[in-house]
Structure formats: C-alpha cells, structure tokens
Amino acid sequence: MKFFLLASIIFLPVVASHSWVVKVGLEGGKSRGGTNGGDLTLQRYFCPLPLLADCQPDPKHDIVLTDDALRPCRANVESSPRAKVHAGGDSLYMSWMGNGHVNNGQSDGTCVKFMLAPYDSDPDFDSFTTIPGSECRDYWYRNSEGFLKTDANVTIPANIAPGKYTVLWYWNFTEFWFSSCSDIDILPPVGPTTSPMPVSSTIAPVVTTPSPSKAPIVATSRPSLDDGDIQNYLLNGCTALPYPTLFCQSYLGPGSYCKYYNTDGCGRAYCQGGDFLLNCPQTNPPTTISVSTPSPPPSPAPTPAPTINDDSDTDIY
C-alpha cells in the first residue's frame, strides 16, 4: 500500500497555472469566455508561434495542444455584453484572474500583451496589431494604496475607425501562453483628431520577452476594512461590492480575488481562500390579505296564513 501511494505521488501530473480576462470596461463588458464555469473551462491555451510543435509543453504536464491553439480566440462566440470605448479618449479597463500567482514569486517579471483586430468570428493571429503602450503590461502590480492588482487601462489610438473590434489579451507564463479575446465597440473620438485609419491586418507574430524578474513585494499591513462592506460580503458575496478583488485582498490577504465564476446556491461568489458566508438572505413571502365576505341579510319571516275560527257565529253560505 505504501509503495502504491508513493508511486501515485511521483507520477501525479503537474498542473499548469492559468489566467483569463474577467472584466472589460467599467459597465459589465465581458470576454468571449465569460465568467461562468471552472478554471479549466475559462482558461484557453494559445500558441503565437508559427509551428504548434514549438509550443508543446513538457510531457510532465500531461497537456497536449491541438490545432485550435493556433487560433487566438474562441471561435463562433461573441462577447455579451460588449464594452464600448471612444478611440483616443476613455481608457478601456481590463482585468484578469490572478489565480494565486501574485506576490509569491511565480509570475514576477511576466507581462501581458494587448492587440486589436477588426471583429471576426474566428480571427487569425496575423490579423491583430499591437496596441501602442500595451506591448508588455505587468501581470500584477501594487497600486498607491497598497492593493495588489491584475488589471490595466488600455488606450485605443485616436486614428482607429469606429466599428466593432476584438481585443486580444495573452500571457506567456513558463511553458504556456494563455489568451482571452473580448469583442468591443469603438466609438468616434471626442474632439478633433486625424483621419480614421483601419487596423492593419498584416503583422507577424511577436513573442514578448519577459522583463527581468522582480523580487516579490511583501505587504507590511493590510488596508483597513469597512464594517459595512464586510457585512455586505457575508450576506451577498463579493460581486455585490464595488471593488470585489480589492476587498478580497484586504479581507483575506494578498493573492485573494473574487471568484466571479463560482457561486453558491444563492448565486453569491466567495473570495479565494474563504468559504464562509451567512445563510442566504430570506425573502419575505408576499403578504396575503384576507377579505371577509359579508353575510347576506337574514330572510324575512314568512307571513302566517289566515286561520278560520270554527267557533265563529257567522255562517258562510
């Protein structure tokens, strides 16, 4: 028995890390993968190299890429809803799952890349152009308030013609690339600009070289928590909060995040690392108002029939 258990441990496949886009824009936009389902459903392996063989990971991972990994997006799926952004104006907010690979040395020095292409149900990699300023965005960072973040604001160039487009996000981590595609609507720029120019459709695959490794940053203290937010989380889950992942990191520590894609029986999402919420809020059943029906008025007593007095002295002929 001991030998069997030891052999099982030795030959257990190594599971790769994973990440995907969870939020596009500030008004509920989503990627093509959405936010419902488990990790293996939401992640997507991608090969940005010309030959699939060059992207195959070590056999120890027990993962073999198929030809669909050469396509950057999930085919025949459209983001719903689509985010909207003005060219050259408002930044497009994008956030992705940290999935426990933040501030622990695993993903330090890695970066994500953003590219843009005219919408297609199954675009090829060559149709995407790198978005200026988003060639290599840190996979994670700490903001000025001390929160760990996995997001970026992406500015769409002002000379992009209005229309329907697809944003490609991809991350190179160890032996793997992960990709997420998000369909968006680009609106005309606000104010004067140069003549609109469509996105180029001729660009060779580019592999980003990660920046030198950074030492993990250790938080000296957690940001303060608001009692109202804690009570709201315990009753309604992290998706009910205005900044779910920031709350989870303050509540449970660095590396936590809001698991949008995994909800309990009440539809509430937990913070990673915590599995306690209060009982589901009870909804009061509708109040039933009983209306009494008035009783009908009593029927009048019948009029008695006239009686004949047999002792009367009057004879009737």
Side-chain angles (χ1 to χ4, degrees):
M1 176 61 73
K2 291 182 178 178
F3 175 80
F4 175 78
L5 292 176
L6 179 60
S8 298
I9 294 172
I10 292 175
F11 294 106
L12 186 67
V14 178
V15 178
S17 87
H18 36 265
S19 185
W20 59 88
V21 169
V22 294
K23 192 171 184 179
V24 186
L26 297 176
E27 298 181 357
K30 295 183 179 180
S31 70
R32 290 192 181 188
T35 55
N36 296 321
D39 291 8
L40 297 179
T41 299
L42 297 171
Q43 74 175 26
R44 188 175 191 282
Y45 295 112
F46 171 50
C47 177
L49 306 180
L51 299 177
L52 185 64
D54 294 335
C55 294
Q56 293 292 355
D58 191 300
K60 69 180 181 181
H61 297 295
D62 198 26
I63 294 172
V64 178
L65 302 183
T66 56
D67 287 342
D68 66 330
L70 291 168
R71 313 294 292 186
C73 303
R74 298 171 190 266
N76 303 313
V77 179
E78 186 174 329
S79 298
S80 180
R82 297 195 306 270
K84 301 180 185 299
V85 62
H86 287 276
D90 302 331
S91 295
L92 179 66
Y93 176 76
M94 304 278 291
S95 68
W96 52 92
M97 295 301 293
N99 256 5
H101 307 297
V102 171
N103 197 31
N104 54 16
Q106 294 183 9
S107 62
D108 295 347
T110 66
C111 61
V112 300
K113 184 171 186 174
F114 293 94
M115 306 181 76
L116 187 68
Y119 172 80
D120 189 283
S121 61
D122 185 19
D124 58 42
F125 188 46
D126 289 346
S127 66
F128 285 90
T129 300
T130 301
I131 298 175
S134 293
E135 298 88 349
C136 184
R137 307 292 291 268
D138 286 340
Y139 179 75
W140 71 272
Y141 67 96
R142 189 184 298 279
N143 70 4
S144 59
E145 298 177 351
F147 291 109
L148 301 175
K149 303 275 286 177
T150 53
D151 61 11
N153 288 305
V154 179
T155 300
I156 305 299
N159 59 359
I160 298 297
K164 186 175 174 181
Y165 290 83
T166 299
V167 175
L168 168 62
W169 167 103
Y170 76 94
W171 176 44
N172 180 201
F173 181 77
T174 63
E175 301 176 45
F176 298 91
W177 284 268
F178 299 94
S179 69
S180 279
C181 289
S182 307
D183 304 314
I184 65 171
D185 291 322
I186 295 181
L187 307 178
V190 178
T193 184
T194 57
S195 300
M197 179 178 67
V199 174
S200 170
S201 59
T202 56
I203 181 169
V206 177
V207 180
T208 301
T209 302
S211 57
S213 298
K214 301 178 293 185
I217 302 173
V218 180
T220 56
S221 62
R222 294 186 190 177
S224 59
L225 290 172
D226 182 87
D227 289 340
D229 285 342
I230 295 176
Q231 186 66 14
N232 192 7
Y233 167 69
L234 293 175
L235 284 172
N236 303 304
C238 51
T239 53
L241 300 167
Y243 302 100
T245 295
L246 295 184
F247 170 84
C248 292
Q249 292 171 356
S250 301
Y251 188 53
L252 293 171
S256 184
Y257 53 89
C258 185
K259 302 179 75 172
Y260 300 88
Y261 56 92
N262 193 4
T263 56
D264 66 5
C266 311
R268 304 176 299 178
Y270 293 101
C271 288
Q272 170 68 16
D275 58 359
F276 172 78
L277 294 176
L278 297 175
N279 292 334
C280 297
Q282 298 295 322
T283 55
N284 295 326
T287 305
T288 302
I289 302 175
S290 58
V291 179
S292 57
T293 304
S295 303
S299 302
T303 304
T307 58
I308 300 175
N309 186 353
D310 294 339
D311 296 333
S312 175
D313 292 335
T314 305
D315 295 330
I316 301 176
Y317 298 96

